[in-house]
Amino acid sequence: MLSQTLSNIIIGLYLLANQVNATPTHFGYLLYQGFEVLDVFGPLEALNGLAGLYDLNLTIVAETMDPISSLPPTSWFNGNKMNSTFSEHVLPTHTFETAPPLDVLIIPGGNGLFAPAPLLDSTIQFIKARYPTLQYLITVCNGAGIAARAGVLDGKHATTNKAVWDQTIALGPKVKWVAQARWVTDGNVWTSSGVSAGIDVMLAWISAVYSEANATGIANGMEYERHMNSTDDPFATLHGLTDANNSTNPSRR
Ligand SMILES: *[C@@H]1O[C@H](CO)[C@@H](O)[C@H](O)[C@H]1NC(C)=O
Ligand SMILES: *[C@@H]1O[C@H](CO)[C@@H](O)[C@H](O)[C@H]1NC(C)=O
Ligand SMILES: *[C@@H]1O[C@H](CO)[C@@H](O)[C@H](O)[C@H]1NC(C)=O
Ligand SMILES: *[C@@H]1O[C@H](CO)[C@@H](O)[C@H](O)[C@H]1NC(C)=O
Ligand SMILES: *[C@@H]1O[C@H](CO)[C@@H](O)[C@H](O)[C@H]1NC(C)=O
Ligand SMILES: *[C@@H]1O[C@H](CO)[C@@H](O)[C@H](O)[C@H]1NC(C)=O
């Protein structure tokens, strides 16, 4: 009885030490129909570079193993008014049931996140269930909205795509939304503004967790000029958002 308790404590301490100290090796990218393409492949370009420097594993996780389209289903989203045949498909490696333990979970944004209930319920459950086991959670664009729906941003500072600010912050009334930010960090949670900001948050995260030399080398390989100032947000200005629009501002509550 006592030894069982002790061994549980030892396993618990080991898991804790592992979570705090070890460099992440297992990356999970969460996908759903109607993902934003650059939200996925921008940060993945940087992570592909990182995987050239360290032994890393990528899991692409979704509700089912079916190919996932970047176009949301026409059943609820009329995103294709010109009847174009124009979308890209990605194959998941695992489902929510079969995904291995993950150190980092990355959640892209996209029009698919405007799906009516209950379409995203299993996705929300997955985020809620996995968050306590992660070293880091990284969201791109309105991916912060589904993390908010899972409750994992409650009490934390976060940002999102400024073009869908009102809709997204409504999904997380307990989140301290920051209106002017290319990206925001709060503890182990990193959230970025829209689309291309996902590249900047990923490179900033690589700099913080691995090294600035690694982030610079990867950015140079991408021939990408990084936005290095996390509070410089021309797209907040474009959408009429200032500090006064922070959801922590009492005048909004
Ligand atoms: C990645 O997965 C492969 C196959 O499951 C495994 O052999 C390898 O050790 C894993 N690498 C890491 C860094 O966990
Ligand atoms: C797209 O297809 C729908 C249904 O067939 C049709 O009603 C609509 O006019 C088409 N739109 C264009 C821009 O061709
Ligand atoms: C990556 O960062 C590590 C830790 O600082 C360093 O030892 C290594 O040389 C870097 N590699 C590259 C290619 O930047
Ligand atoms: C970052 O951007 C903000 C907003 O444009 C600006 O006020 C601040 O001075 C910048 N910080 C640095 C270090 O350049
Ligand atoms: C908005 O949030 C930012 C980041 O947390 C903070 O620096 C700023 O003071 C806040 N402004 C207001 C008016 O709440
Ligand atoms: C930002 O706040 C201003 C007033 O401070 C308000 O008029 C405006 O509607 C807000 N913008 C958004 C997108 O919520």
Side-chain angles (χ1 to χ4, degrees), residues 24-107:
T25 52
H26 285 79
F27 289 73
Y29 230 103
L30 188 148
L31 285 192
Y32 49 85
Q33 199 177 342
F35 65 87
E36 184 71 30
V37 172
L38 194 65
D39 290 17
V40 176
F41 286 101
L44 272 180
E45 179 67 36
L47 288 176
N48 285 347
L50 191 68
L53 305 180
Y54 303 91
D55 179 10
L56 307 179
N57 273 10
L58 175 66
T59 297
I60 297 178
V61 59
E63 188 168 30
T64 72
M65 292 296 278
D66 294 338
I68 307 174
S69 172
S70 58
L71 266 187
T74 50
S75 57
W76 61 266
F77 191 81
N78 183 17
N80 189 16
K81 295 190 179 66
M82 300 313 288
N83 301 329
S84 299
T85 307
F86 217 102
S87 63
E88 300 80 37
H89 289 76
V90 173
L91 286 177
T93 63
H94 293 78
T95 67
F96 296 144
E97 281 76 33
T98 64
L102 301 170
D103 301 325
V104 184
L105 180 66
I106 304 141
I107 307 177

Side-chain angles (χ1 to χ4, degrees), residues 188-210:
N188 66 346
V189 176
W190 296 59
T191 54
S192 83
S193 190
V195 196
S196 68
I199 302 172
D200 292 315
V201 77
M202 189 54 70
L203 289 167
W205 178 83
I206 288 170
S207 172
V209 175
Y210 297 84

